[in-house]
Amino acid sequence: MAVPILKQGPFLIASIQSALTDTDVLQLRDDVMAQVTRHRSKGIIVDVTSLDVMDSFVSRSLRGIAMMTRLRGAETVIVGIQPEVAFAMVQLGMSFEDVQTALDLEEGLALLEAGFLGP
Amino acid sequence: MAVPILKQGPFLIASIQSALTDTDVLQLRDDVMAQVTRHRSKGIIVDVTSLDVMDSFVSRSLRGIAMMTRLRGAETVIVGIQPEVAFAMVQLGMSFEDVQTALDLEEGLALLEAGFLGP
């Protein structure tokens, strides 16, 4: 299932609705890159609230999206990582390293706004 | 003995009072994760001033807590590592790597405030 990407002002919000196949993840990457270019977006929020499992391919791909969009001038924030997902990721030694994370969509938007519109 | 966690504005302060059993450490981890979500905290200070020994399980768990809370959008600072504990940790090749540390509670709060409320 494709991930819907909403434009909100200078930002894009990609809201993952259900578990992603590997194809979906690659599709998401291409869609985000295309939309960043089209809308000249300054930030992207990837909402993973509905994922209760995040395998290494998904987490690596999300990190890849963040790196790629940064090279296009847009910062990515990953929001809504569930506590049990965070726990599993740390246990497995996966991390988002230099990718921004936030509790939920609201905090993610606040983070982007603080970074790009202020202070 | 459970570790008391105090809420101070946007931050949480977990003040370790005495030597921790492994169960206490896991309890601390779960408590911190629950409170970060409940209070939408931006930062956590773990005060280890009263620990005169820090074994590898405790230090690994504290690092795990820092990683997990980061994935939930909250930065962790570990404060009050005693000189002899620091000495032992270095001798044993343990380190907190990319986890923030500070001298004491006051410095820890200053660090979080600089990161989140300023400049």
Side-chain angles (χ1 to χ4, degrees):
Chain A
M1 205 185 82
V3 176
I5 300 177
L6 313 173
K7 179 175 179 299
Q8 177 162 338
F11 309 129
L12 295 176
I13 300 173
S15 181
I16 297 173
Q17 304 290 319
S18 56
L20 297 175
T21 64
D22 290 1
T23 321
D24 293 337
V25 175
L26 298 179
Q27 182 69 45
L28 172 63
R29 185 195 64 197
D30 295 345
D31 288 351
V32 166
M33 287 301 276
Q35 299 239 17
V36 164
T37 307
R38 186 175 326 140
H39 299 303
R40 315 175 72 83
S41 303
K42 289 292 176 204
I44 300 110
I45 290 181
V46 181
D47 187 350
V48 298
T49 307
S50 65
L51 293 185
D52 44 15
V53 172
M54 199 173 327
D55 64 25
S56 64
F57 181 77
V58 172
S59 66
R60 203 147 30 83
S61 301
L62 291 180
R63 186 161 169 269
I65 290 174
M67 298 289 168
M68 268 185 257
T69 57
R70 186 174 298 156
L71 291 173
R72 298 284 286 168
E75 198 64 34
T76 296
V77 183
I78 295 174
V79 306
I81 299 175
Q82 296 298 319
E84 52 272 34
V85 173
F87 177 75
M89 286 180 67
V90 171
Q91 292 290 315
L92 297 172
M94 306 183 323
S95 83
F96 281 130
E97 287 165 38
D98 45 358
V99 179
Q100 295 265 31
T101 51
L103 191 64
D104 55 19
L105 189 55
E106 193 181 335
E107 300 282 343
L109 279 171
L111 201 63
L112 285 179
E113 270 157 17
F116 293 110
L117 307 179
Chain B
M1 204 186 81
V3 176
I5 300 177
L6 313 174
K7 179 175 177 298
Q8 178 163 339
F11 309 129
L12 295 177
I13 300 172
S15 181
I16 296 173
Q17 305 290 318
S18 57
L20 297 176
T21 65
D22 290 0
T23 320
D24 293 337
V25 175
L26 298 179
Q27 182 68 46
L28 172 64
R29 183 195 67 198
D30 295 345
D31 288 351
V32 166
M33 285 300 276
Q35 300 240 17
V36 164
T37 306
R38 185 173 328 138
H39 299 303
R40 310 175 70 84
S41 303
K42 290 293 176 203
I44 298 109
I45 290 181
V46 181
D47 187 349
V48 298
T49 308
S50 65
L51 292 184
D52 44 15
V53 173
M54 198 174 326
D55 65 24
S56 65
F57 181 78
V58 171
S59 66
R60 201 146 32 83
S61 302
L62 291 180
R63 185 163 171 267
I65 290 173
M67 298 288 171
M68 268 183 254
T69 57
R70 185 175 300 155
L71 291 172
R72 299 281 288 167
E75 197 65 34
T76 296
V77 182
I78 294 173
V79 306
I81 298 175
Q82 295 298 320
E84 53 273 34
V85 173
F87 178 75
M89 285 181 68
V90 171
Q91 293 291 315
L92 297 172
M94 305 181 328
S95 83
F96 282 129
E97 287 165 38
D98 44 357
V99 179
Q100 295 264 32
T101 50
L103 190 65
D104 57 17
L105 190 55
E106 197 179 326
E107 300 281 341
L109 279 171
L111 201 62
L112 285 180
E113 269 156 17
F116 293 108
L117 306 178

